[in-house]
Amino acid sequence: MSQATLGDDEELFGEAANEMREDVESSLEDAWDALPDAEAVWETDADNVLGVLNGLNSALNVGDAEEQLRDAKKWFTMGQRADAFEDADDLETEIEALDEAIEDISEAGEQVGELTSTIPALRGTLQDAGGEAEAEADDEDEE
């Protein structure tokens, strides 16, 4: 191989490494943007608890963030293995932070989902208990 070819290969590798870093950064930015808006999680227009929970459950959808994070991890891993990044600590830190945020949001969504399915049954139980208490009170009044 000639010296010129080796120089061209090094230049091409440098360009590829820069593009790979840009791809990781772009995917991370898209993932952060895909996360739920803080106000959507905090505010509600619901008339009852079930409406609040359903709205919150919808707001806690991470959307395309998981796919974007996966894409960032893929290119980051490829870049690390190729030793293409001079300094990748910032990317690794951001990937970890995003991964934790998505995990926290998903866990909260699961908890809200459980409450969403529990609250109607709890309401029915309390209504039944209230009806039984009223019936017992009526029976005592009749005696």
Side-chain angles (χ1 to χ4, degrees):
M1 227 178 231
S2 73
Q3 199 66 332
T5 305
L6 288 176
D8 289 345
D9 287 348
E10 191 64 34
E11 185 179 319
L12 290 173
F13 184 79
E15 285 179 33
N18 287 337
E19 289 176 11
M20 200 173 299
R21 183 177 183 86
E22 289 172 7
D23 285 345
V24 172
E25 289 171 347
S26 175
S27 292
L28 288 171
E29 185 178 331
D30 291 346
W32 284 114
D33 290 345
L35 292 178
D37 181 63
E39 294 305 313
V41 172
W42 189 252
E43 295 182 6
T44 186
D45 293 329
D47 294 331
N48 57 44
V49 172
L50 188 57
V52 169
L53 291 172
N54 282 328
L56 181 56
N57 203 19
S58 294
L60 290 171
N61 183 345
V62 294
D64 293 335
E66 288 176 311
E67 187 60 34
Q68 293 296 334
L69 176 60
R70 186 180 187 323
D71 205 38
K73 285 180 176 180
K74 176 177 62 178
W75 289 113
F76 178 76
T77 302
M78 178 90 80
Q80 272 192 318
R81 288 190 181 164
D83 200 24
F85 303 131
E86 287 182 24
D87 180 24
D89 291 344
D90 61 327
L91 294 176
E92 190 168 13
T93 300
E94 188 171 356
I95 286 170
E96 290 171 2
L98 181 58
D99 206 10
E100 287 177 22
I102 290 173
E103 187 176 321
D104 289 348
I105 294 166
S106 295
E107 283 180 23
E110 289 173 16
Q111 291 172 358
V112 171
E114 289 175 18
L115 278 175
T116 302
S117 63
T118 302
I119 293 296
L122 178 59
R123 180 179 184 220
T125 299
L126 293 172
Q127 286 174 330
D128 290 348
E132 289 176 16
E134 284 179 25
E136 287 179 17
D138 289 345
D139 288 345
E140 288 178 12
D141 287 344
E142 290 176 9
E143 292 176 4

